[in-house]
Amino acid sequence: MAAQAAAAAQAAAAQAAQAEAADSWYLALLGFAEHFRTSSPPKIRLCVHCLQAVFPFKPPQRIEARTHLQLGSVLYHHTKNSEQARSHLEKAWLISQQVSFPYVKFEAASLLSELYCQENSVDAAKPLLRKAIQISQQTPYWHCRLLFQLAQLHTLEKDLVSACDLLGVGAEYARVVGSEYTRALFLLSKGMLLLMERKLQEVHPLLTLCGQIVENWQGNPIQKESLRVFFLVLQVTHYLDAGQVKSVKPCLKQLQQCIQTISTLHDDEILPSNPADLFHWLPKEHMCVLVYLVTVMHSMQAGYLEKAQKYTDKALMQLEKLKMLDCSPILSSFQVILLEHIIMCRLVTGHKATALQEISQVCQLCQQSPRLFSNHAAQLHTLLGLYCVSVNCMDNAEAQFTTALRLTNHQELWAFIVTNLASVYIREGNRHQEVLYSLLERINPDHSFPVSSHCLRAAAFYVRGLFSFFQGRYNEAKGQRVVRAQSSPGPILRFLRETLKMSNAEDLNRLTACSLVLLGHIFYVLGNHRESNNMVVPAMQLASKIPDMSVQLWSSALLRDLNKACGNAMDAHEAAQMHQNFSQQLLQDHIEACSLPEHNLITTVHPLCSSKLRMDPTPAWPASCEALMGLSSSTGPAGTVPDSPSPRP
């Protein structure tokens, strides 16, 4: 017995020594691999050699699976050798299912599905994620993460119904495992997708529930505030998408206060006790840029263009710093949306040359990412169309707008483009009467207007008024003198008064200024100088505050003519001087813009030009889904006051 015990002890000691030796060589190779990976610059080839050296030792399956995962991860993230990366990740996934090693198993499934998507093998990624989700229910962190990942995949495919279903499953699972924080993340993400689908009846109770969960949850202060930011961003974008610029102000103010609070908090290094809570929506720095972005969107719609410029500059400066360290695609999305809005501001404020250069910059950014280009192609052509209108290239404007219509499935953007295209046709007189009547019927604000946006509906009333005004001028030019013969301009006043009523209700300053100056012009034509002056003076004041160069030019010309007609020589001279100054500024900017090489972009149209013009909006889809847990950059130019061309007195 003693001999047997001694032999057993000796065998155990030998086995322990062997295991220790095995650990030694493995740890040594692993240490060298990590050293080479983290070197500056990284020595990826040497790192890969060290990891590959593990296999000749015929390690246990757990080590073999983990090494395949490490090799696949390094090759995926640091090289272009996707074939070898896929091979190692597939082996890691296969081997890890034979042993109990959850981290390797689910990390391999997650990375492998990312690689499949990168290779456009989405049909291979979906079943892989579904199987991983099915077997991960006892691992809360991975189960939630994989649900988010599959939901994001469906979102990128524009299958929002399946994505919402998965997020609902995730919310219920998080509730069961006691993670109210992650439950809120799932519900807020679902709310974001429902907003994209315009399912407002489902959104409102969901956001109410989210608000209650966020307020009641007691946990990490940064996590709590990030949930509040997510919640408030959804509310603000919902209001802006509806064109309710005034109604959104309380929510926007809360959002701005919330981001200020977050910026003062220090990151807590203590990990949550519940593994299902190991998520965050966006880094603090990204949230700051996002709040700048929605502030710019609000300022653009409200007509506070100097404020929009100020926050755009801050956001772009922050983005440049972040992009030096972070290659997240959502940062490029933020940058493109910011540029889209500031380009519209430039066109309004009379800086066409700068706007054109920024349009070129957006083109370059989109060309770096096929997904970004696909998501923003319609917005790009819309911006080019607006630029063409500003330099009076109406044929090119028509081509750009019709191209944009063929490229968009977004209802608000569709309505925005049609409104601007109609204004181009109005300016061109009888050339496109049949198409114009068809467009006006499809954006008739008195009947089934295609979108719920308060701002776009008000703009549609303005365009109807503009159409009636130009019809009157056309008939007058033919000698019929229709406008002068009427005791009142009838429908013109109704359309413009409706525009004023709606724009005043939501502080849509640009529409207010445009409506006032057009009304002033109508009263001037009718000979009602007093009423004309009552319209033009506030229009000029508001246009100066925005500032809107076209409305200022128009208003100063009217003030000059009004004062001449009333015998106010000094006031007429002052108004004439203002008009000359505005004319010179706009002419100089016009010449500068047209002399730029980027001006040739106005002739660039999409190959889809030969397809049939889409005359009705199709169901809305998100314009950008780079990150499920980030903001959908869905609007681009949509939802802002159309840059309708002003008739020149």
Side-chain angles (χ1 to χ4, degrees), residues 465-477:
L466 193 67
F467 176 57
S468 299
F469 173 77
F470 267 84
Q471 273 195 318
R473 288 189 54 151
Y474 172 70
N475 290 331
E476 183 183 2

Side-chain angles (χ1 to χ4, degrees), residues 141 144-145 148 152 179 181-186 188-189 217 220-230 262 267-268 270-272 274-288 326 328 330 627-631:
Y141 167 75
C144 292
R145 177 169 163 177
F148 273 125
Q152 180 174 347
S179 174
Y181 168 76
T182 302
R183 181 190 178 199
L185 280 179
F186 274 113
L188 288 167
S189 299
W217 184 70
N220 184 304
I222 289 183
Q223 286 184 311
K224 183 179 178 72
E225 291 302 312
S226 71
L227 286 178
R228 291 192 67 216
V229 170
F230 196 172
I262 285 184
D267 290 327
D268 194 346
I270 301 174
L271 292 176
N274 190 336
D277 287 344
L278 290 168
F279 295 96
H280 69 278
W281 175 46
L282 285 175
K284 283 195 301 184
E285 297 79 11
H286 291 199
M287 283 190 274
C288 288
D326 187 349
S328 172
I330 202 171
L628 174 67
M629 300 177 70
L631 173 70

Side-chain angles (χ1 to χ4, degrees), residues 276-534:
D277 287 344
L278 290 168
F279 295 96
H280 69 278
W281 175 46
L282 285 175
K284 283 195 301 184
E285 297 79 11
H286 291 199
M287 283 190 274
C288 288
V289 174
L290 180 56
V291 174
Y292 282 141
L293 173 57
V294 295
T295 303
V296 169
M297 293 167 66
H298 174 263
S299 300
M300 176 65 207
Q301 285 199 33
Y304 305 134
L305 302 192
E306 290 182 347
K307 185 178 180 181
Q309 174 67 63
K310 171 186 170 184
Y311 282 103
T312 299
D313 290 343
K314 287 185 176 182
L316 291 175
M317 189 180 301
Q318 183 78 1
L319 276 171
E320 287 303 317
K321 293 178 182 177
L322 290 174
K323 290 180 80 172
M324 291 178 185
L325 306 171
D326 187 349
C327 58
S328 172
I330 202 171
L331 295 179
S332 295
S333 294
F334 288 165
Q335 186 175 2
V336 167
I337 301 168
L338 281 164
L339 287 170
E340 285 172 352
H341 281 78
I342 202 58
I343 287 164
M344 290 186 287
C345 290
R346 309 271 197 217
L347 294 174
V348 172
T349 57
H351 297 92
K352 295 183 281 290
T354 306
L356 183 58
Q357 290 170 328
E358 287 169 338
I359 290 173
S360 177
Q361 186 180 349
V362 173
C363 289
Q364 292 169 9
L365 284 168
C366 289
Q367 286 170 355
Q368 295 170 12
S369 165
R371 185 184 299 164
L372 202 59
F373 183 79
S374 172
N375 291 334
H376 290 268
Q379 287 92 324
L380 265 173
H381 284 288
T382 304
L383 292 170
L384 280 169
L386 295 176
Y387 167 76
C388 291
V389 170
S390 74
V391 293
N392 208 34
C393 297
M394 294 303 170
D395 289 341
N396 297 109
E398 178 191 356
Q400 294 297 337
F401 286 141
T402 52
T403 299
L405 283 176
R406 296 183 185 101
L407 294 173
T408 187
N409 290 318
H410 191 277
Q411 288 178 308
E412 276 72 18
L413 181 55
W414 180 90
F416 178 86
I417 298 165
V418 169
T419 304
N420 282 282
L421 182 58
S423 71
V424 169
Y425 289 155
I426 289 169
R427 289 278 294 274
E428 294 190 309
N430 280 337
R431 281 185 60 193
H432 304 280
Q433 283 292 307
E434 187 176 340
V435 179
L436 174 58
Y437 280 115
S438 178
L439 290 178
L440 290 175
E441 188 57 35
R442 283 162 174 77
I443 55 168
N444 189 340
D446 286 321
H447 303 295
S448 52
F449 193 63
V451 294
S452 59
S453 172
H454 179 94
C455 175
L456 284 173
R457 188 164 176 264
F461 273 116
Y462 175 76
V463 169
R464 300 282 291 198
L466 193 67
F467 176 57
S468 299
F469 173 77
F470 267 84
Q471 273 195 318
R473 288 189 54 151
Y474 172 70
N475 290 331
E476 183 183 2
K478 289 172 63 177
Q480 298 176 20
R481 304 182 63 79
V482 171
V483 175
R484 288 186 185 276
Q486 293 176 338
S487 58
S488 70
I492 305 179
L493 285 183
R494 186 183 78 79
F495 290 138
L496 295 178
R497 282 171 175 161
E498 194 64 36
T499 305
L500 276 176
K501 176 183 169 184
M502 294 184 71
S503 56
N504 285 333
E506 287 293 341
D507 289 347
L508 304 172
N509 291 326
R510 281 207 66 229
L511 267 178
T512 300
C514 289
S515 303
L516 285 172
V517 73
L518 183 51
L519 279 168
H521 196 123
I522 291 166
F523 284 122
Y524 175 76
V525 171
L526 291 171
N528 190 340
H529 295 165
R530 181 177 179 181
E531 194 64 28
S532 177
N533 191 71
N534 290 340

